[in-house]
Amino acid sequence: MKVVRALSVLALAVISFATAQTITIAMVPKFTNAQYFAATQKGGQEAADALGVKFIYEGTVNADIDGQIQIIDSLIARGVNALVVSPNDPDAIVPELKKAQAAGIKVVTYDADANGGRDMFVNQATFDSIGKGLIDALVKETGPKANYAIVSAAATAANQNAWIAAMKAYSAANFPDLKLVDIQYGNDEPQKSFQVSQDLLNAHPDLNGIISPTSVGFPAAAQAVEQAGLAGKVAVTGLATPNGMKQFVEDGTVKTVLLWNPIDLGYLGVQAAYALVKGTVTGPGDTFTAGRLGSYTTQQDKISMNILLGPPYEFTKDNINNFDF
Amino acid sequence: MSDQAPTDAKPRRRFTLTVEWVLVGILILVGAVMAQLSPEFLTLSNLLDMTRFIVEIGLLALPMTLIIITKGIDLSVGSNIALSAIIFGFAWHAGVPLVLAAVIGIATGTLAGLVNGWTVAYLGVPPLVTTLATFGAFRGIALGLSGGRGVSGFPDWFYVLGQGDIGPVPVQLLVFIVAAIAFGVLLHVLGYGKRVYAIGLNERAAKFSGVRVRSLLLRLYALSGFMAGLAAIIYVSRVGTAKGNAATGYELEAITAVVLGGTSIAGGVGTITGTILGLAIIISLRFGMILGGVSANVRSLVLGLALIVAVLAYGLLTRKRT
Amino acid sequence: MIRRLFRTSGRELVLLAILVVAVVYLGLTTNFLFYTARDGTLAFNARTIQSLLANSAVIAIAAVGMVMVIVAAQIDISVGSILAIAVFAAGYLDHLGVPPLLIIPLTILAGAALGAFNGFLVAFARIPSIIVTLATMTVFRSALLAVLPREYLGNFSKGFRALGLTTFLGLQLPVWVMFAVVAAGAYFIANTRWGRTLYAVGSNEEAAALAGIRVRRVQFMVMMVSGAFVGLAASFHAPRFAQINANEGLGFEFVVITAVVLGGINIFGGSGTVLGAFIGVLLLGLTKTSLIFLHLSADWEKFFQGMFILVAVSIDVLRTRNPLARTRQRLARAAAQPEPTAAGQEPS
């Protein structure tokens, strides 16, 4: 017992010594096996290098909320200064984030939000702007009188559901003849997303378009359309990284890919975490400089505050080859 | 699966003792390595804190030990947690008082366990097939009923169960300790335990010597369901939300802990102490490596190899004795 | 005649009946089979059947191996992780410029090597296969992830993609491979000496050993063959997709085993047919697809799959409660010399 206590005192001393030296910011993505999150890691690392802070990137291979909670718990024990997290579940993550806050750690959510326990949400684009962008991209191809379906990630994914709600609201207000026939979930698994897209095409021969607001579902849906020989007849649009979509844009299956820049998102997440740790930002309305991205002012929301990366970006045949992420 | 089981009981008892000392040795070794890997590992606060992540699996592993001793298996327990959690959450959401809702949740788990038990014991369907079916069915009901929606926003006092401490000890660890003692008594002190071993060693002989095999199995699988229900309440309290995707993959983690703890899948061999040591080794390995910044892939590689090495070692131990 | 057929292949008939009823029901109530085209005429929805078969191919090919494993009283829950490795092996071989027709045998070899590792631990280290493959399920996948530089791979060559996408008589190449493998597997397991030894080892290991069968070698081989089938499946699975991903095959073991169990295999070994497993695969695939046609949430998929097993198994139990069948079974079991063909066809 004495030994354990002595060791724990020693360990604490080591931690406090280490943290007095450098600031450590840890980024925890939803999962690591996607180009999208690899791009946010790249941005996070870039910001950390620019700021001279230690950067840890650690996540589970697959979307796994249990594993994510354990990773955050270990980061708390390791005494990081700030967490930049993309939660797999907006509710289940909350107790662990609150625990981090209680330990004096600044918590930033990025890519997806949590329903509590965070100091700031770095929002990649407003839900309304994504909803509008996707519906507009669809209507540009199908015309305002059309049937479309959605291939989403998991039914529990918070931002997916928010985008779907925004799409519904925008199309109801502007395109009354646009009909959403079905929503299916591919759980961010390529194989499953592919199969549900295929089944949607088969079950609805009068389908005019598919929207997939997920970087795993979108290429899978495009592939299903291509393999069914329906390229040009069924429009496909959604959110994904340009690298995953280049071949479909080049062969004409996909006309428009929507996304923000995930490198910038990761970069901004780490910059925001640094501003919180340094005390540059303490509440809504504060302004900080996020390196090469310029200055941001925080907005109040019902949990704490958020900042907005900017409007989503449209990738088309003309510009998609200029990007590599 | 078809390994012949030695029939006399005496050398077995000595063998299980050996396995437990081996496990203690492994645990000490793991602790030492993890302490090297991360200075935070061997602190009292960490050692206690990390048990939060194994208690629910531990609650499943206790009855699983008994089930595997009878040559059975229960693959449905992870899905059962999700089902019980959803029913518990919905009941509370519909206005049922929280404590009563918890009782309903645990009752749901028990009922689900009864379905398994009845199918295994009275319909005569092999446990692997039965619980493979209910593994899908229970999860399917949980997902289908909830449709991806979850229930959260429980009152603060409820979170004490999964997030609170009594002194330095996590509340759910105390629940596990009580449960472990109860199962230890059940398996190693009471006559019930002897009958469980008897079924595992030779079901037909047990039947002839007066063991009511069917009713015992029915109650055993119901008990497994009850523990899944209890684990569901703790799970919801720990993560603050009841969802259909809760506890995915827990069944395999529980089985791994039981087998690592020296319980033989061929039936008739195993102890509660072994299972507890198995759980302790798993969580120390896993959490220690997370703390040490070991990558996720290497972590699962080490856990898988540990299982192979442990079972190989048990094989060598038994062969020497017989 | 019909009675005899029902007794010997009852499970297959029950499953086939469910399959037919489901297809007819879907055909009548949804546009599963026919749909009204834009010009108002009724058109045949061929794509539904095409994609159902194409998506079943990888499962069915692996299921043939699994039938052999379970008939020999073993189990393999590492097939999902073997699939992941084999899929990446195929992908990287294509990146190295290996011609597609050479990728197939190399991928089979990769699968067989992993299966042989399982087989060694089962047959010679004497660890129960459920434990071995529970461990290697984790070991294989994490080893793959540890060595992969990136967890996804794409940009495959045209020739490689053709393996997955070439169509012949309206069906994709993987579907024809599936038909061939199922037919060959069904013939092999029921009609060759080697196939019958699987039933002998699975129904009674000691008796089989006494009859001169080298039991351990059979157990080793069967685990290796299971890996080889997964490798074969992978070589036609990978080229179907623009990009492959490291979580390929997660939960695959449950799908394959569920299909095989649904197909009426005895989980303790000694009986089971390839045809039953194949119908099981189709029924599972149909469940997934039909939910979308019936506008039900895909969340119910697992529920229906679980219920199918329970219903199928219960029907079996009721069917074999026929006292005559029971006596025959008992006689078959009590026979000192196991009669493999009888044991193989007698459902238990």
Side-chain angles (χ1 to χ4, degrees), chain B residues 1-4 73 119 122-123 125-126 128-129 132-137 139-141 143-145 147-148 252 255-256 259 265 297 300-301 304-305 307-308 311-312 319, chain C residues 73 75 117 121 125-128 130-131 134-139 142-143 145-146 151 205-206 254 257-258 261 267-268 299-300 302-303 306-307 309-310 313-314 317 321:
Chain B
M1 275 179 152
S2 52
D3 264 51
Q4 62 265 61
I73 200 151
T119 313
Y122 290 91
L123 208 53
V125 179
L128 187 65
V129 175
L132 180 68
T134 53
F135 159 85
R139 175 76 63 188
I141 297 172
L143 287 171
L145 283 180
L252 293 184
I255 293 168
T256 305
V259 171
I265 214 90
N297 313 319
S300 25
L301 188 66
L305 286 175
L307 183 62
I308 295 185
V311 177
L312 261 179
R319 214 165 301 160
Chain C
I75 198 158
F117 182 72
L121 288 175
R126 308 305 292 157
I127 309 178
I130 191 168
I131 306 296
L134 176 69
T136 54
M137 172 170 75
T138 320
V139 168
S142 41
L145 291 166
E151 284 136 348
E205 203 179 308
E206 281 152 52
F254 275 113
I257 295 172
T258 302
V261 165
I267 203 79
F268 296 127
D299 292 329
W300 288 102
K302 285 193 171 154
F303 171 74
M307 289 316 286
I309 298 187
L310 281 185
V313 171
S314 306
V317 169
R321 277 213 176 141

Side-chain angles (χ1 to χ4, degrees), chain C residues 192-229:
Chain C
T192 65
R193 213 184 126 81
W194 225 92
R196 285 195 295 266
T197 60
L198 296 184
Y199 288 101
V201 170
S203 24
N204 191 333
E205 203 179 308
E206 281 152 52
L210 287 176
I213 296 171
R214 287 153 79 183
V215 172
R216 291 190 180 195
R217 208 178 71 164
V218 171
Q219 289 169 341
F220 172 79
M221 290 296 283
V222 87
M223 297 306 287
M224 187 176 79
V225 165
S226 166
F229 273 109

Side-chain angles (χ1 to χ4, degrees), chain C residues 10-329:
Chain C
R11 173 66 78 88
E12 285 88 342
L13 290 179
V14 169
L15 290 177
L16 207 57
I18 297 178
L19 197 66
V20 169
V21 168
V23 169
V24 169
Y25 175 77
L26 285 169
L28 291 176
T29 57
T30 70
N31 41 28
F32 186 80
L33 291 178
F34 302 98
Y35 66 96
T36 323
R38 272 157 229 218
D39 56 7
T41 56
L42 208 61
F44 180 57
N45 199 350
R47 281 209 315 267
T48 327
I49 306 289
Q50 285 163 353
S51 38
L52 178 65
L53 288 174
N55 291 329
S56 300
V58 59
I59 305 169
I61 296 171
V64 173
M66 189 66 82
V67 168
M68 297 178 182
V69 169
I70 297 183
V71 161
Q74 304 298 329
I75 198 158
D76 187 351
I77 53 178
S78 68
V79 285
S81 300
I82 296 181
L83 183 74
I85 294 183
V87 158
F88 271 88
Y92 274 111
L93 285 171
D94 178 54
H95 277 217
L96 288 174
V98 177
L101 286 178
L102 200 57
I103 290 180
I104 302 171
L106 288 174
T107 312
I108 294 176
L109 217 58
L114 297 170
F117 182 72
N118 284 335
F120 175 77
L121 288 175
V122 170
F124 301 109
R126 308 305 292 157
I127 309 178
S129 53
I130 191 168
I131 306 296
V132 168
T133 54
L134 176 69
T136 54
M137 172 170 75
T138 320
V139 168
F140 290 162
R141 186 176 295 274
S142 41
L144 169 73
L145 291 166
V147 300
L148 280 185
R150 282 184 325 174
E151 284 136 348
Y152 38 81
L153 194 65
N155 295 323
F156 300 125
S157 71
K158 275 227 160 62
F160 183 61
R161 297 293 309 276
L163 283 183
L165 301 176
T166 308
T167 57
F168 176 68
L169 295 179
L171 295 173
Q172 290 180 337
L173 198 53
V175 177
W176 292 109
V177 174
M178 168 178 78
F179 286 149
V181 167
V182 168
Y187 174 81
F188 167 82
I189 203 169
N191 298 313
T192 65
R193 213 184 126 81
W194 225 92
R196 285 195 295 266
T197 60
L198 296 184
Y199 288 101
V201 170
S203 24
N204 191 333
E205 203 179 308
E206 281 152 52
L210 287 176
I213 296 171
R214 287 153 79 183
V215 172
R216 291 190 180 195
R217 208 178 71 164
V218 171
Q219 289 169 341
F220 172 79
M221 290 296 283
V222 87
M223 297 306 287
M224 187 176 79
V225 165
S226 166
F229 273 109
V230 176
L232 174 66
S235 60
F236 286 93
H237 181 66
R240 293 184 64 217
F241 301 97
Q243 196 181 72
I244 54 178
N245 187 300
N247 61 15
E248 187 63 66
L250 271 185
F252 185 64
E253 60 286 341
F254 275 113
V255 179
V256 175
I257 295 172
T258 302
V260 171
V261 165
L262 191 54
I265 211 160
N266 179 354
I267 203 79
F268 296 127
S271 88
T273 64
V274 169
L275 191 66
F278 180 54
I279 304 175
V281 171
L282 293 183
L283 202 54
L284 284 191
L286 186 67
T287 314
K288 190 181 274 187
T289 301
S290 59
L291 289 176
I292 292 182
F293 279 89
L294 295 169
H295 304 285
L296 284 170
S297 158
D299 292 329
W300 288 102
E301 180 192 339
K302 285 193 171 154
F303 171 74
F304 284 112
Q305 293 181 348
M307 289 316 286
F308 274 148
I309 298 187
L310 281 185
V311 169
V313 171
S314 306
I315 290 177
D316 258 12
V317 169
L318 297 177
R319 201 159 49 82
T320 51
R321 277 213 176 141
N322 170 346
L324 187 71
R326 262 175 148 184
T327 322
R328 286 169 53 94
Q329 247 181 314

Side-chain angles (χ1 to χ4, degrees), chain A residues 134-143 146-150 201 207-212 218 221-222 225-226 230-238 252-256, chain C residues 38:
Chain A
L134 289 174
I135 292 290
D136 284 343
L138 178 77
V139 169
K140 204 158 71 184
E141 285 183 68
T142 63
N147 296 322
Y148 75 105
I150 294 175
L201 291 170
L207 200 66
N208 306 102
I210 295 179
I211 298 180
S212 181
F218 188 10
V225 169
E226 188 182 35
L230 292 170
K233 295 187 189 113
V234 175
V236 197
T237 188
T253 310
V254 172
K255 299 272 189 296
T256 315
Chain C
R38 272 157 229 218

Side-chain angles (χ1 to χ4, degrees), chain B residues 17 62 119 135 147 152 210 213 217 235 263 269:
Chain B
L17 195 71
L62 294 173
T119 313
F135 159 85
S152 40
V213 175
L217 287 180
Y235 183 92
T263 300
V269 182

